[in-house]
Amino acid sequence: MSGTRDLKLLGTKESLFTHRVVWALKLKGIEYEFIEVDLLNKSPLLLELNPVHKKVPVLVHAGKTICESLVILEYIDENWKDGYYPLLPQDPLAKAYARFWAKFVDEKFYQGATAAFFSTGENRAKGIESVAEALQVLEGEIQGKKFFGGETIGFLDIAVGWIAYWFQFVEEVGDFKVMNSTKYPSFDSWTKQFLQVSIIKENLPPPEAVRCVFVGFKNMAFQAKNAEN
Amino acid sequence: MATSDVKLLGAWPSPYVNRVQIVLKLKSVDYEYMEQSFPGKSELLLKSNPVYKKIPVLIHGDKPICESLIIVQYIDEVWNKNGPSLLPSDPYDCAMARFWAAYIDDKWFPIMGELRKAQEEEAKATLIKQAAEGLVLLEEAFLKCSKGKDYFGGESIGYLDIALGSFLGWIKAGEIMSGVKLLDETKTPGLVQWAQRFCSNDVVKDVLPEPEKLIEVLKMIQARLKAAATST
Protein backbone atom coordinates (compact mmCIF):
# COMPACT_ATOMS: atom_id res chain seq x y z
CA MET A 1 0.00 0.00 0.00
CA SER A 2 1.42 3.36 -1.02
CA GLY A 3 2.27 5.95 1.58
CA THR A 4 0.52 9.29 1.71
CA ARG A 5 3.54 11.12 0.31
CA ASP A 6 3.39 9.00 -2.83
CA LEU A 7 -0.19 9.76 -3.86
CA LYS A 8 -1.85 13.15 -4.20
CA LEU A 9 -5.30 14.06 -5.41
CA LEU A 10 -5.93 17.58 -6.63
CA GLY A 11 -9.57 18.53 -6.46
CA THR A 12 -12.22 20.52 -4.70
CA LYS A 13 -14.40 19.37 -1.83
CA GLU A 14 -17.57 20.01 -3.85
CA SER A 15 -16.49 18.67 -7.25
CA LEU A 16 -18.56 15.74 -8.44
CA PHE A 17 -15.76 14.48 -10.68
CA THR A 18 -13.24 14.68 -7.83
CA HIS A 19 -15.54 12.55 -5.70
CA ARG A 20 -15.42 9.72 -8.21
CA VAL A 21 -11.71 9.42 -7.44
CA VAL A 22 -12.22 9.87 -3.67
CA TRP A 23 -14.74 7.02 -3.62
CA ALA A 24 -12.47 4.75 -5.69
CA LEU A 25 -9.46 5.38 -3.43
CA LYS A 26 -11.52 4.87 -0.26
CA LEU A 27 -13.06 1.65 -1.58
CA LYS A 28 -9.56 0.35 -2.33
CA GLY A 29 -8.33 1.51 1.09
CA ILE A 30 -5.54 3.60 -0.44
CA GLU A 31 -4.11 6.53 1.49
CA TYR A 32 -3.58 9.80 -0.28
CA GLU A 33 -3.05 13.49 0.30
CA PHE A 34 -5.90 15.73 -0.78
CA ILE A 35 -4.89 19.08 -2.23
CA GLU A 36 -7.69 21.62 -2.46
CA VAL A 37 -7.42 23.72 -5.59
CA ASP A 38 -8.91 27.14 -6.31
CA LEU A 39 -10.76 26.71 -9.60
CA LEU A 40 -11.61 30.38 -9.99
CA ASN A 41 -8.01 31.50 -9.83
CA LYS A 42 -6.39 28.47 -11.36
CA SER A 43 -3.24 27.79 -9.41
CA PRO A 44 0.08 27.38 -11.20
CA LEU A 45 0.20 23.83 -9.84
CA LEU A 46 -3.06 22.89 -11.58
CA LEU A 47 -2.02 24.53 -14.84
CA GLU A 48 1.32 22.74 -14.69
CA LEU A 49 -0.19 19.32 -13.98
CA ASN A 50 -3.19 19.55 -16.30
CA PRO A 51 -2.19 21.96 -19.07
CA VAL A 52 -4.52 20.30 -21.59
CA HIS A 53 -7.82 20.58 -19.70
CA LYS A 54 -6.94 22.79 -16.67
CA LYS A 55 -9.45 20.85 -14.58
CA VAL A 56 -9.77 18.66 -11.54
CA PRO A 57 -9.44 15.90 -10.56
CA VAL A 58 -5.74 15.28 -11.13
CA LEU A 59 -4.02 12.29 -9.57
CA VAL A 60 -0.29 12.47 -8.97
CA HIS A 61 1.30 9.12 -8.16
CA ALA A 62 5.02 8.99 -7.48
CA GLY A 63 5.44 12.15 -9.55
CA LYS A 64 3.39 10.86 -12.49
CA THR A 65 0.23 12.77 -13.40
CA ILE A 66 -3.07 11.29 -14.54
CA CYS A 67 -6.05 13.45 -15.59
CA GLU A 68 -9.71 12.84 -16.50
CA SER A 69 -11.78 11.09 -13.84
CA LEU A 70 -12.69 7.94 -15.79
CA VAL A 71 -9.06 7.49 -16.93
CA ILE A 72 -7.99 7.91 -13.28
CA LEU A 73 -10.55 5.29 -12.15
CA GLU A 74 -9.17 2.73 -14.61
CA TYR A 75 -5.61 3.59 -13.53
CA ILE A 76 -6.48 3.07 -9.87
CA ASP A 77 -8.21 -0.21 -10.69
CA GLU A 78 -5.23 -1.52 -12.69
CA ASN A 79 -2.52 -0.30 -10.34
CA TRP A 80 -4.14 -1.62 -7.17
CA LYS A 81 -5.56 -4.88 -8.48
CA ASP A 82 -4.89 -8.17 -6.70
CA GLY A 83 -6.24 -8.21 -3.20
CA TYR A 84 -8.02 -4.90 -3.64
CA TYR A 85 -11.71 -4.05 -4.07
CA PRO A 86 -12.45 -4.44 -7.80
CA LEU A 87 -14.01 -1.49 -9.63
CA LEU A 88 -14.46 -2.86 -13.16
CA PRO A 89 -15.82 -6.37 -13.73
CA GLN A 90 -13.43 -9.07 -14.99
CA ASP A 91 -15.55 -10.22 -17.89
CA PRO A 92 -14.66 -8.28 -21.09
CA LEU A 93 -18.28 -7.88 -22.15
CA ALA A 94 -19.40 -6.62 -18.73
CA LYS A 95 -16.38 -4.29 -18.77
CA ALA A 96 -17.33 -2.97 -22.22
CA TYR A 97 -20.88 -2.26 -21.02
CA ALA A 98 -19.64 -0.49 -17.87
CA ARG A 99 -17.36 1.71 -20.00
CA PHE A 100 -20.15 2.35 -22.51
CA TRP A 101 -22.69 3.49 -19.89
CA ALA A 102 -20.12 5.64 -18.07
CA LYS A 103 -19.37 7.43 -21.36
CA PHE A 104 -23.11 7.75 -22.04
CA VAL A 105 -23.68 9.42 -18.67
CA ASP A 106 -20.80 11.84 -19.21
CA GLU A 107 -22.07 12.71 -22.67
CA LYS A 108 -25.85 12.60 -22.92
CA PHE A 109 -26.82 13.12 -19.27
CA TYR A 110 -24.09 15.56 -18.22
CA GLN A 111 -24.22 17.66 -21.39
CA GLY A 112 -28.00 17.74 -21.19
CA ALA A 113 -27.87 18.80 -17.54
CA THR A 114 -25.33 21.52 -18.38
CA ALA A 115 -27.58 22.88 -21.14
CA ALA A 116 -30.64 22.73 -18.88
CA PHE A 117 -28.74 24.60 -16.14
CA PHE A 118 -26.97 27.29 -18.16
CA SER A 119 -29.05 27.80 -21.29
CA THR A 120 -32.33 29.47 -22.00
CA GLY A 121 -35.10 28.94 -24.51
CA GLU A 122 -34.79 26.10 -26.99
CA ASN A 123 -31.34 24.96 -25.84
CA ARG A 124 -32.58 24.66 -22.28
CA ALA A 125 -35.62 22.68 -23.38
CA LYS A 126 -33.40 20.36 -25.44
CA GLY A 127 -31.12 19.89 -22.44
CA ILE A 128 -34.05 18.92 -20.22
CA GLU A 129 -35.30 16.50 -22.87
CA SER A 130 -31.83 14.98 -23.16
CA VAL A 131 -31.68 14.40 -19.41
CA ALA A 132 -35.13 12.80 -19.38
CA GLU A 133 -34.18 10.48 -22.25
CA ALA A 134 -30.94 9.54 -20.52
CA LEU A 135 -32.80 8.79 -17.28
CA GLN A 136 -35.21 6.56 -19.14
CA VAL A 137 -32.29 4.60 -20.57
CA LEU A 138 -30.60 4.33 -17.15
CA GLU A 139 -33.91 3.19 -15.65
CA GLY A 140 -33.89 0.30 -18.10
CA GLU A 141 -30.29 -0.57 -17.28
CA ILE A 142 -30.71 -0.66 -13.48
CA GLN A 143 -33.98 -2.59 -13.47
CA GLY A 144 -33.68 -5.85 -11.59
CA LYS A 145 -30.28 -4.94 -10.16
CA LYS A 146 -29.30 -3.63 -6.74
CA PHE A 147 -26.34 -1.69 -8.13
CA PHE A 148 -24.96 -1.24 -11.66
CA GLY A 149 -22.02 -3.34 -10.44
CA GLY A 150 -24.29 -6.10 -9.12
CA GLU A 151 -24.46 -6.84 -5.41
CA THR A 152 -21.78 -4.27 -4.61
CA ILE A 153 -20.93 -0.90 -6.15
CA GLY A 154 -18.39 -0.67 -8.94
CA PHE A 155 -17.00 1.54 -11.68
CA LEU A 156 -20.37 2.37 -13.21
CA ASP A 157 -22.03 3.18 -9.88
CA ILE A 158 -19.15 5.55 -9.16
CA ALA A 159 -19.47 7.15 -12.61
CA VAL A 160 -23.25 7.57 -12.28
CA GLY A 161 -23.06 8.38 -8.56
CA TRP A 162 -23.11 12.16 -8.90
CA ILE A 163 -26.66 11.96 -10.19
CA ALA A 164 -27.71 10.45 -6.84
CA TYR A 165 -26.54 13.53 -4.93
CA TRP A 166 -25.38 16.56 -6.95
CA PHE A 167 -28.16 16.47 -9.53
CA GLN A 168 -30.90 17.55 -7.07
CA PHE A 169 -28.95 20.81 -6.57
CA VAL A 170 -28.47 21.24 -10.31
CA GLU A 171 -32.26 21.03 -10.62
CA GLU A 172 -32.89 23.31 -7.65
CA VAL A 173 -30.48 26.08 -8.67
CA GLY A 174 -31.18 25.56 -12.38
CA ASP A 175 -34.91 25.70 -11.69
CA PHE A 176 -36.06 22.64 -13.56
CA LYS A 177 -37.28 19.19 -12.53
CA VAL A 178 -36.69 15.93 -14.32
CA MET A 179 -35.99 13.40 -11.54
CA ASN A 180 -39.19 11.60 -10.67
CA SER A 181 -39.48 8.58 -8.37
CA THR A 182 -42.73 7.48 -10.04
CA LYS A 183 -41.38 7.72 -13.58
CA TYR A 184 -37.98 6.20 -12.75
CA PRO A 185 -38.66 3.92 -9.76
CA SER A 186 -35.70 1.56 -10.28
CA PHE A 187 -33.27 4.45 -10.65
CA ASP A 188 -34.77 6.14 -7.59
CA SER A 189 -34.30 2.92 -5.64
CA TRP A 190 -30.67 2.75 -6.80
CA THR A 191 -29.96 6.33 -5.68
CA LYS A 192 -31.26 5.55 -2.19
CA GLN A 193 -29.21 2.36 -1.89
CA PHE A 194 -26.11 4.01 -3.35
CA LEU A 195 -26.22 6.83 -0.80
CA GLN A 196 -26.52 4.26 2.00
CA VAL A 197 -23.20 2.61 1.13
CA SER A 198 -20.94 3.71 4.01
CA ILE A 199 -17.96 4.83 1.85
CA ILE A 200 -20.32 7.02 -0.17
CA LYS A 201 -22.34 8.30 2.79
CA GLU A 202 -19.13 9.29 4.60
CA ASN A 203 -17.69 11.03 1.55
CA LEU A 204 -20.23 13.56 0.35
CA PRO A 205 -19.90 17.35 0.56
CA PRO A 206 -22.47 19.19 2.74
CA PRO A 207 -25.61 20.24 0.80
CA GLU A 208 -25.05 23.93 1.48
CA ALA A 209 -21.54 23.78 0.02
CA VAL A 210 -22.78 22.17 -3.21
CA ARG A 211 -25.69 24.61 -3.43
CA CYS A 212 -23.27 27.49 -2.96
CA VAL A 213 -20.98 26.30 -5.77
CA PHE A 214 -23.87 25.91 -8.21
CA VAL A 215 -25.27 29.33 -7.31
CA GLY A 216 -21.79 30.66 -7.97
CA PHE A 217 -21.74 28.99 -11.43
CA LYS A 218 -25.12 30.47 -12.28
CA ASN A 219 -24.03 33.96 -11.19
CA MET A 220 -20.79 33.75 -13.16
CA ALA A 221 -22.66 32.68 -16.29
CA PHE A 222 -25.16 35.51 -15.79
CA GLN A 223 -22.37 38.06 -15.39
CA ALA A 224 -20.52 36.72 -18.43
CA LYS A 225 -23.68 36.99 -20.51
CA ASN A 226 -24.29 40.56 -19.40
CA ALA A 227 -20.69 41.49 -20.08
CA GLU A 228 -21.11 40.28 -23.67
CA ASN A 229 -24.06 42.64 -24.26
CA MET B 1 -14.46 -19.44 -34.14
CA ALA B 2 -17.03 -19.38 -36.96
CA THR B 3 -16.94 -16.29 -39.17
CA SER B 4 -20.58 -15.51 -38.46
CA ASP B 5 -19.86 -15.41 -34.72
CA VAL B 6 -18.32 -11.97 -35.14
CA LYS B 7 -20.04 -9.31 -37.20
CA LEU B 8 -19.02 -5.74 -37.82
CA LEU B 9 -21.58 -3.18 -38.88
CA GLY B 10 -19.68 -0.39 -40.57
CA ALA B 11 -19.18 2.04 -43.41
CA TRP B 12 -15.87 2.15 -45.29
CA PRO B 13 -15.24 5.92 -45.02
CA SER B 14 -15.72 5.99 -41.26
CA PRO B 15 -12.46 6.34 -39.32
CA TYR B 16 -14.23 4.86 -36.29
CA VAL B 17 -15.05 1.73 -38.29
CA ASN B 18 -11.48 1.65 -39.67
CA ARG B 19 -10.22 1.44 -36.07
CA VAL B 20 -12.14 -1.76 -35.49
CA GLN B 21 -11.16 -3.22 -38.88
CA ILE B 22 -7.49 -2.60 -38.12
CA VAL B 23 -7.73 -4.29 -34.72
CA LEU B 24 -9.67 -7.30 -36.01
CA LYS B 25 -6.92 -7.75 -38.62
CA LEU B 26 -4.11 -7.31 -36.08
CA LYS B 27 -5.73 -9.97 -33.92
CA SER B 28 -6.48 -12.27 -36.88
CA VAL B 29 -10.17 -12.43 -36.04
CA ASP B 30 -12.48 -13.76 -38.75
CA TYR B 31 -15.62 -11.73 -39.06
CA GLU B 32 -18.52 -10.90 -41.31
CA TYR B 33 -18.48 -7.32 -42.48
CA MET B 34 -21.84 -5.67 -43.08
CA GLU B 35 -21.56 -2.39 -44.95
CA GLN B 36 -24.25 0.06 -43.84
CA SER B 37 -25.36 2.33 -46.63
CA PHE B 38 -25.29 6.03 -45.83
CA PRO B 39 -27.56 7.73 -44.78
CA GLY B 40 -29.98 4.88 -44.10
CA LYS B 41 -29.95 3.00 -40.81
CA SER B 42 -30.68 -0.69 -41.07
CA GLU B 43 -32.97 -2.47 -38.65
CA LEU B 44 -30.04 -4.46 -37.32
CA LEU B 45 -28.12 -1.25 -36.58
CA LEU B 46 -31.07 0.35 -34.79
CA LYS B 47 -31.61 -2.83 -32.78
CA SER B 48 -27.92 -3.23 -31.91
CA ASN B 49 -27.23 0.39 -31.06
CA PRO B 50 -30.52 1.93 -29.95
CA VAL B 51 -28.74 4.56 -27.83
CA TYR B 52 -26.58 6.21 -30.51
CA LYS B 53 -27.80 4.54 -33.74
CA LYS B 54 -24.23 4.76 -35.06
CA ILE B 55 -21.54 2.56 -36.54
CA PRO B 56 -19.30 0.80 -35.76
CA VAL B 57 -21.14 -1.93 -33.89
CA LEU B 58 -19.41 -5.21 -33.17
CA ILE B 59 -21.74 -8.14 -32.66
CA HIS B 60 -20.05 -11.06 -30.89
CA GLY B 61 -22.32 -14.06 -30.62
CA ASP B 62 -25.52 -12.10 -30.21
CA LYS B 63 -24.07 -9.35 -28.02
CA PRO B 64 -23.59 -5.88 -29.50
CA ILE B 65 -20.67 -3.72 -28.41
CA CYS B 66 -20.69 -0.04 -29.40
CA GLU B 67 -18.30 2.94 -29.44
CA SER B 68 -15.08 2.34 -31.39
CA LEU B 69 -12.54 2.68 -28.57
CA ILE B 70 -14.63 0.47 -26.30
CA ILE B 71 -14.82 -2.11 -29.10
CA VAL B 72 -11.03 -1.91 -29.61
CA GLN B 73 -10.44 -2.62 -25.90
CA TYR B 74 -12.99 -5.45 -25.96
CA ILE B 75 -11.27 -7.17 -28.90
CA ASP B 76 -7.88 -6.70 -27.22
CA GLU B 77 -9.18 -8.34 -24.04
CA VAL B 78 -11.11 -11.22 -25.61
CA TRP B 79 -8.43 -12.16 -28.17
CA ASN B 80 -5.63 -11.45 -25.75
CA LYS B 81 -3.63 -14.43 -26.91
CA ASN B 82 -3.53 -13.22 -30.52
CA GLY B 83 -0.55 -10.95 -30.88
CA PRO B 84 0.75 -8.28 -28.50
CA SER B 85 -1.62 -6.34 -26.26
CA LEU B 86 -2.79 -3.07 -27.75
CA LEU B 87 -2.75 -1.29 -24.43
CA PRO B 88 0.54 -1.04 -22.50
CA SER B 89 0.87 -3.35 -19.52
CA ASP B 90 2.15 -0.58 -17.28
CA PRO B 91 -0.89 1.14 -15.69
CA TYR B 92 0.58 4.63 -16.13
CA ASP B 93 1.45 4.13 -19.81
CA CYS B 94 -2.03 2.65 -20.23
CA ALA B 95 -3.59 5.74 -18.61
CA MET B 96 -1.61 7.98 -20.98
CA ALA B 97 -2.86 6.03 -24.01
CA ARG B 98 -6.46 6.33 -22.74
CA PHE B 99 -6.07 10.02 -21.91
CA TRP B 100 -4.74 10.97 -25.35
CA ALA B 101 -7.26 8.81 -27.21
CA ALA B 102 -10.05 10.57 -25.30
CA TYR B 103 -8.44 13.95 -26.11
CA ILE B 104 -8.35 13.06 -29.81
CA ASP B 105 -12.02 12.03 -29.86
CA ASP B 106 -13.44 14.67 -27.51
CA LYS B 107 -11.30 17.71 -28.29
CA TRP B 108 -9.12 17.36 -31.37
CA PHE B 109 -11.14 15.66 -34.10
CA PRO B 110 -14.27 17.79 -33.44
CA ILE B 111 -12.14 20.78 -34.56
CA MET B 112 -11.86 19.14 -37.99
CA GLY B 113 -15.64 18.81 -38.09
CA GLU B 114 -16.02 22.50 -37.27
CA LEU B 115 -13.45 23.34 -39.95
CA ARG B 116 -15.49 21.57 -42.62
CA LYS B 117 -18.56 23.59 -41.63
CA ALA B 118 -16.81 26.96 -41.22
CA GLN B 119 -17.70 29.58 -43.80
CA GLU B 120 -15.70 32.70 -42.86
CA GLU B 121 -11.93 32.89 -43.39
CA GLU B 122 -11.34 34.20 -39.85
CA ALA B 123 -13.21 31.28 -38.28
CA LYS B 124 -11.32 28.84 -40.50
CA ALA B 125 -7.97 30.39 -39.55
CA THR B 126 -8.76 30.12 -35.82
CA LEU B 127 -9.77 26.49 -36.17
CA ILE B 128 -6.67 25.61 -38.21
CA LYS B 129 -4.54 27.23 -35.48
CA GLN B 130 -6.34 25.18 -32.80
CA ALA B 131 -5.90 21.97 -34.80
CA ALA B 132 -2.21 22.70 -35.28
CA GLU B 133 -1.75 23.42 -31.54
CA GLY B 134 -3.44 20.13 -30.77
CA LEU B 135 -1.05 18.32 -33.07
CA VAL B 136 1.91 19.86 -31.23
CA LEU B 137 0.50 18.37 -28.01
CA LEU B 138 0.16 15.02 -29.76
CA GLU B 139 3.76 15.32 -31.02
CA GLU B 140 4.90 15.63 -27.39
CA ALA B 141 2.70 12.69 -26.46
CA PHE B 142 4.24 10.68 -29.29
CA LEU B 143 7.76 11.36 -28.08
CA LYS B 144 6.81 10.35 -24.51
CA CYS B 145 4.78 7.25 -25.41
CA SER B 146 6.97 5.86 -28.20
CA LYS B 147 10.17 6.18 -26.13
CA GLY B 148 12.18 6.33 -29.33
CA LYS B 149 10.40 3.46 -31.04
CA ASP B 150 8.25 3.47 -34.19
CA TYR B 151 4.76 3.73 -32.73
CA PHE B 152 2.89 5.26 -29.79
CA GLY B 153 2.60 1.63 -28.68
CA GLY B 154 6.35 1.09 -28.98
CA GLU B 155 7.60 -1.70 -31.28
CA SER B 156 4.16 -2.47 -32.62
CA ILE B 157 0.92 -0.64 -33.34
CA GLY B 158 -1.07 0.03 -30.19
CA TYR B 159 -4.28 1.61 -28.96
CA LEU B 160 -3.20 5.21 -29.42
CA ASP B 161 -1.70 4.57 -32.88
CA ILE B 162 -5.09 3.22 -33.92
CA ALA B 163 -7.00 6.07 -32.23
CA LEU B 164 -5.08 8.79 -34.09
CA GLY B 165 -4.03 6.82 -37.16
CA SER B 166 -7.60 6.11 -38.20
CA PHE B 167 -7.99 9.83 -38.92
CA LEU B 168 -4.97 10.11 -41.22
CA GLY B 169 -7.00 9.59 -44.40
CA TRP B 170 -9.38 12.39 -43.39
CA ILE B 171 -6.51 14.64 -42.32
CA LYS B 172 -4.86 14.21 -45.74
CA ALA B 173 -8.21 14.78 -47.47
CA GLY B 174 -8.65 17.99 -45.46
CA GLU B 175 -5.13 19.15 -46.38
CA ILE B 176 -5.78 18.55 -50.10
CA MET B 177 -9.14 20.34 -50.03
CA SER B 178 -7.98 23.34 -48.02
CA GLY B 179 -4.43 23.59 -49.35
CA VAL B 180 -3.25 23.92 -45.74
CA LYS B 181 -0.76 21.46 -44.27
CA LEU B 182 -1.81 20.24 -40.84
CA LEU B 183 0.87 17.61 -40.35
CA ASP B 184 3.90 19.82 -40.80
CA GLU B 185 7.48 18.41 -40.84
CA THR B 186 8.81 21.57 -39.22
CA LYS B 187 6.34 21.59 -36.32
CA THR B 188 5.58 17.89 -35.79
CA PRO B 189 8.39 15.88 -37.39
CA GLY B 190 7.84 12.83 -35.20
CA LEU B 191 4.17 12.62 -36.12
CA VAL B 192 4.87 13.09 -39.84
CA GLN B 193 7.25 10.12 -39.87
CA TRP B 194 4.91 8.09 -37.67
CA ALA B 195 2.04 8.83 -40.06
CA GLN B 196 4.02 7.54 -43.04
CA ARG B 197 4.99 4.41 -41.11
CA PHE B 198 1.43 3.80 -39.93
CA CYS B 199 -0.18 4.26 -43.36
CA SER B 200 2.31 1.97 -45.08
CA ASN B 201 1.94 -0.75 -42.46
CA ASP B 202 0.67 -3.99 -44.08
CA VAL B 203 -2.35 -4.31 -41.82
CA VAL B 204 -3.34 -0.66 -42.08
CA LYS B 205 -2.82 0.06 -45.76
CA ASP B 206 -5.64 -2.26 -46.86
CA VAL B 207 -8.06 -0.66 -44.42
CA LEU B 208 -7.53 3.11 -44.55
CA PRO B 209 -9.31 4.60 -47.55
CA GLU B 210 -7.40 6.76 -50.06
CA PRO B 211 -7.79 10.50 -49.32
CA GLU B 212 -9.08 11.04 -52.89
CA LYS B 213 -11.97 8.63 -52.26
CA LEU B 214 -12.77 10.42 -48.98
CA ILE B 215 -12.85 13.76 -50.83
CA GLU B 216 -15.47 12.27 -53.18
CA VAL B 217 -17.54 11.16 -50.17
CA LEU B 218 -17.24 14.62 -48.60
CA LYS B 219 -18.35 16.32 -51.83
CA MET B 220 -21.30 13.94 -52.03
CA ILE B 221 -22.33 14.67 -48.42
CA GLN B 222 -21.97 18.43 -49.00
CA ALA B 223 -24.09 18.20 -52.17
CA ARG B 224 -26.77 16.24 -50.29
CA LEU B 225 -26.82 18.80 -47.45
CA LYS B 226 -27.07 21.64 -49.96
CA ALA B 227 -29.94 19.91 -51.77
CA ALA B 228 -31.75 19.26 -48.48
CA ALA B 229 -31.30 22.91 -47.44
CA THR B 230 -32.58 24.34 -50.73
CA SER B 231 -35.53 21.99 -51.04
CA THR B 232 -37.14 23.10 -47.76
Side-chain angles (χ1 to χ4, degrees), chain A:
Chain A
M1 219 174 279
S2 291
T4 311
R5 292 171 300 141
D6 221 8
L7 192 64
K8 296 173 176 42
L9 171 62
L10 271 75
T12 72
K13 294 202 196 80
E14 299 80 23
S15 157
L16 62 95
F17 293 112
T18 303
H19 274 78
R20 286 176 169 173
V21 183
V22 169
W23 295 334
L25 291 169
K26 298 271 184 194
L27 280 168
K28 296 260 187 191
I30 302 161
E31 284 183 16
Y32 63 99
E33 182 193 342
F34 185 79
I35 300 176
E36 180 91 21
V37 160
D38 184 349
L39 289 178
L40 291 175
N41 304 298
K42 300 208 173 177
S43 70
L45 180 63
L46 178 63
L47 297 175
E48 183 200 323
L49 295 177
N50 192 357
V52 177
H53 300 295
K54 306 176 179 58
K55 285 182 182 173
V56 292
V58 178
L59 193 75
V60 187
H61 185 204
K64 290 179 172 169
T65 308
I66 304 110
C67 308
E68 292 296 283
S69 61
L70 296 182
V71 175
I72 296 172
L73 288 186
E74 295 225 30
Y75 172 78
I76 290 170
D77 206 28
E78 281 158 22
N79 204 57
W80 288 278
K81 199 174 177 164
D82 297 321
Y84 291 93
Y85 187 103
L87 298 179
L88 274 165
Q90 285 287 77
D91 172 61
L93 188 66
K95 224 188 250 193
Y97 285 171
R99 286 175 177 144
F100 176 84
W101 290 117
K103 192 164 186 269
F104 171 78
V105 162
D106 275 4
E107 287 173 0
K108 182 126 177 152
F109 192 103
Y110 184 81
Q111 285 172 14
T114 306
F117 185 85
F118 285 111
S119 307
T120 53
E122 204 187 319
N123 284 340
R124 179 175 151 96
K126 276 192 186 149
I128 294 170
E129 197 185 314
S130 218
V131 171
E133 282 169 4
L135 267 175
Q136 195 58 57
V137 172
L138 290 171
E139 171 74 12
E141 274 314 296
I142 195 62
Q143 231 161 52
K145 295 186 211 154
K146 186 176 179 188
F147 296 114
F148 288 101
E151 281 304 302
T152 52
I153 62 169
F155 176 86
L156 187 52
D157 299 274
I158 294 173
V160 180
W162 73 270
I163 303 175
Y165 188 72
W166 279 259
F167 187 62
Q168 63 190 309
F169 304 108
V170 174
E171 287 181 304
E172 187 191 302
V173 177
D175 192 26
F176 65 93
K177 192 100 182 97
V178 181
M179 195 59 75
N180 184 321
S181 57
T182 316
K183 223 175 164 186
Y184 315 109
S186 302
F187 192 82
D188 182 64
S189 173
W190 169 81
T191 65
K192 293 185 165 76
Q193 293 196 97
F194 180 76
L195 294 174
Q196 283 308 305
V197 174
S198 45
I199 295 276
I200 306 301
K201 202 156 79 171
E202 289 156 21
N203 291 285
L204 289 171
E208 210 36 61
V210 180
R211 216 176 252 127
C212 197
V213 166
F214 286 147
V215 168
F217 286 158
K218 201 112 217 253
N219 288 344
M220 270 199 314
F222 183 73
Q223 280 167 22
K225 206 173 177 184
N226 284 354
E228 277 170 42
N229 299 337

Side-chain angles (χ1 to χ4, degrees), chain B residues 1-7 30-32 59-62 79:
Chain B
M1 201 159 281
T3 310
S4 57
D5 212 18
V6 182
K7 294 179 175 60
D30 282 333
Y31 66 100
E32 184 188 341
I59 304 178
H60 187 197
D62 60 347
W79 285 275

Side-chain angles (χ1 to χ4, degrees), chain B residues 48-64:
Chain B
S48 316
N49 191 358
V51 175
Y52 292 113
K53 307 176 179 58
K54 284 184 182 174
I55 42 109
V57 179
L58 189 80
I59 304 178
H60 187 197
D62 60 347
K63 303 276 186 258

Side-chain angles (χ1 to χ4, degrees), chain B residues 119-139:
Chain B
Q119 302 289 337
E120 293 140 44
E121 285 312 308
E122 203 186 317
K124 276 187 195 172
T126 309
L127 288 165
I128 289 170
K129 186 165 172 265
Q130 283 175 1
E133 282 166 358
L135 283 172
V136 170
L137 288 178
L138 289 167
E139 170 85 4

